[in-house]
Amino acid sequence: MTEQSIGALALKIVDPWKWWQTALKDPSKIGSKDLPVHDSDPQQGYFRVRYSKDKPFEPVAIWKEDGAWLAYRAGREVKAEDIWTSCCRHPISHAAYEAAIDGKGWPDDDATVAAQVKPPEPGIGDNSAPVDEADVLKDQIENALKGIDAYKKITDDATASKAQSLRNRLNELSGDADKKRDELKRPHLEAGKVIDKHWMPLVKSAKEGANAVKAAMDAYETEKLRKRREEERKAEEARIAAEAAARAAHPEGEVLEAPKVETQPAPPPEPVGQIRATYGKAASVSVKIVVDQVTDWPALATYMSNHPECQDLLRKLAQRALDAGRTAIPGITTTEAAKVR
């Protein structure tokens, strides 16, 4: 048997589509000894490829004809050797290839994403009037948001894949809108920085001076309050001492007639003081109870533990401790949760 006839027989025995068919059934084998991948050594089959994560997949067909490799990407002829290593890990069925060529998208596409990222047909919109980019993005975002209902509950990997596509699209639209917002806002921010650089030192220095004066006034009024409270305390002690002396001055058992005291209305609350100035407005002086120092942190934490803000803070601190690898945290239960990034 000649070498040429042996080669022809080998082609009949070895199915040239075998690599692709096996990869289609079990993509995890791609790159293994069962389905090796080598540069410039393409295999027949149908695949898809994209050269950027924010670009849609394009269909690829590779086959050998009359001893020469042929390859088409989205209907455009390319070199099989050049595109092989980019597309080989994404095998697709022939039906999926045909549907993509016909512009029907991919089976695992989210419908909204497929509709929005489909490339425009040549010539469409070339002579259209200028449009507001915000209006275009608004329409795209509103249409994308309509697709959220399909993923309120995800029950299989295929749906999760479509949901991720919609999430990526919404994040992409959010990024586009934020970039445009930043682009339009930046000149104003730069102008604002120039103004702030000129005026804020004046604002801060004057405010810091006013705050220093206020701190001195607070200290003065607090000292006045302390002296007043001390005088009140001494007056109360003197009253108690006088009553005790009066009781001691009478024989034991003598009944004293209670003094007649005219009923007086309750004294009005202590008026709020004012510091009047010869320039500008007066300052009011009020008395409030303030924390001086914490003497028992556990007791304070227990007392405040029913406050929603305290609970929220404790929950965040507990999560931070878990994220740092600590597990023995009292007062909580934990569970495993998958977080998509």
Side-chain angles (χ1 to χ4, degrees):
M1 182 178 291
T2 65
E3 183 176 346
Q4 184 176 4
S5 61
I6 292 175
L9 179 61
L11 285 176
K12 291 181 180 180
I13 296 174
V14 179
D15 183 357
W17 301 94
K18 184 69 174 177
W19 194 102
W20 165 70
Q21 291 170 340
T22 303
L24 197 59
K25 293 178 181 177
D26 189 358
S28 66
K29 291 183 177 181
I30 298 174
S32 69
K33 64 179 182 179
D34 295 325
L35 295 177
V37 175
H38 301 293
D39 292 341
S40 302
D41 184 23
Q43 301 293 327
Q44 291 192 172
Y46 300 96
F47 308 88
R48 64 181 182 178
V49 68
R50 61 179 177 184
Y51 293 124
S52 175
K53 65 181 180 180
D54 58 347
K55 301 296 183 182
F57 277 107
E58 294 181 327
V60 175
I62 301 176
W63 73 95
K64 208 168 191 179
E65 185 174 303
D66 296 331
W69 284 107
L70 295 176
Y72 284 85
R73 171 188 168 194
R76 305 185 303 275
E77 187 171 0
V78 294
K79 290 184 177 180
E81 296 86 349
D82 293 342
I83 201 171
W84 166 241
T85 54
S86 298
C87 71
C88 65
R89 298 185 185 279
H90 304 286
I92 59 174
S93 67
H94 179 259
Y97 174 83
E98 292 291 340
I101 286 293
D102 292 339
K104 297 177 181 178
W106 302 101
D108 55 351
D109 270 345
D110 170 80
T112 301
V113 176
Q116 289 193 358
V117 301
K118 181 180 178 181
E121 296 179 13
I124 299 298
D126 292 346
N127 299 317
S128 59
V131 296
D132 188 333
E133 292 181 70
D135 289 339
V136 174
L137 280 170
K138 180 182 178 182
D139 290 342
Q140 292 178 332
I141 291 170
E142 288 179 349
N143 288 331
L145 290 174
K146 292 176 183 177
I148 291 178
D149 287 346
Y151 308 112
K152 285 184 175 179
K153 186 176 182 180
I154 298 174
T155 58
D156 56 71
D157 289 347
T159 305
S161 178
K162 293 182 180 180
Q164 175 64 9
S165 293
L166 180 59
R167 176 187 176 223
N168 286 338
R169 179 58 175 164
L170 285 167
N171 281 332
E172 179 183 55
L173 292 170
S174 174
D176 290 344
D178 195 44
K179 288 177 184 177
K180 190 62 181 178
R181 176 198 63 80
D182 182 70
E183 176 186 335
L184 295 173
K185 186 179 178 181
R186 191 176 302 115
H188 302 282
L189 291 176
E190 294 302 325
K193 289 179 181 178
V194 173
I195 294 171
D196 285 345
K197 184 177 181 180
H198 185 71
W199 288 98
M200 282 308 294
L202 306 179
V203 173
K204 290 181 178 179
S205 63
K207 189 63 176 176
E208 288 171 357
N211 289 340
V213 172
K214 178 182 178 299
M217 294 168 67
D218 285 345
Y220 168 68
E221 293 295 334
T222 299
E223 179 61 18
K224 282 171 58 178
L225 177 64
R226 186 194 66 76
K227 290 179 178 179
R228 185 165 69 247
R229 294 293 186 247
E230 180 66 14
E231 290 171 358
E232 292 170 353
R233 183 187 64 78
K234 290 180 179 179
E236 179 65 10
E237 289 179 350
R239 184 189 65 78
I240 294 173
E243 289 181 354
R247 285 193 296 271
H250 292 83
E252 186 177 349
E254 182 179 346
V255 178
L256 296 177
E257 183 179 352
K260 294 180 180 180
V261 181
E262 295 183 5
T263 304
Q264 297 289 339
E270 184 175 300
V272 174
Q274 279 193 332
I275 302 175
R276 298 187 180 279
T278 58
Y279 177 83
K281 66 179 183 178
S284 62
V285 181
S286 60
V287 177
K288 64 181 294 185
I289 305 298
V290 297
V291 176
D292 182 19
Q293 59 180 329
V294 177
T295 59
D296 190 333
W297 285 103
L300 176 61
T302 300
Y303 177 79
M304 299 301 299
S305 61
N306 287 328
H307 194 289
E309 291 182 16
C310 182
Q311 292 176 349
D312 185 53
L313 175 61
L314 290 173
R315 188 178 293 108
K316 289 179 179 178
L317 291 174
Q319 185 60 54
R320 190 181 302 174
L322 290 172
D323 294 342
R326 302 175 188 171
T327 56
I329 303 173
I332 65 169
T333 61
T334 61
T335 185
E336 286 188 315
K339 297 295 182 181
V340 177
R341 296 185 178 179

